[in-house]
Amino acid sequence: MQASVGDKLLVHGRTVGHHDRTAEVLQVLGENGTPPYRVKFDDDGHEALMSPGPDTVVRHHPEAGAG
């Protein structure tokens, strides 16, 4: 998994009744965009250090000027 500052992580709920959560990557602590990441969750503003598992998808932030 590779992410950059500004990307969003979509963390799928693992069990029935747990909703999907999104978090913005604030800092990349691994080499070449690899985990761990310092993130801020969109739903409650909580910040955490995260090493995402297979239940997480990266939504890459569009490049400035792209399109």
Side-chain angles (χ1 to χ4, degrees):
M1 172 175 294
Q2 290 187 321
S4 300
V5 171
D7 287 349
K8 295 281 187 167
L9 300 181
L10 172 62
V11 183
H12 295 288
R14 293 185 195 184
T15 57
V16 173
H18 286 97
H19 63 283
D20 292 352
R21 295 181 77 191
T22 56
E24 180 180 354
V25 177
L26 301 177
Q27 184 179 17
V28 177
L29 300 168
E31 293 183 20
N32 299 317
T34 60
Y37 308 118
R38 187 169 61 88
V39 300
K40 181 176 182 179
F41 286 93
D42 294 338
D43 58 355
D44 63 4
H46 176 80
E47 290 187 17
L49 193 62
M50 186 176 177
S51 290
D55 57 342
T56 303
V57 177
V58 178
R59 291 183 174 167
H60 295 287
H61 183 70
E63 295 286 330

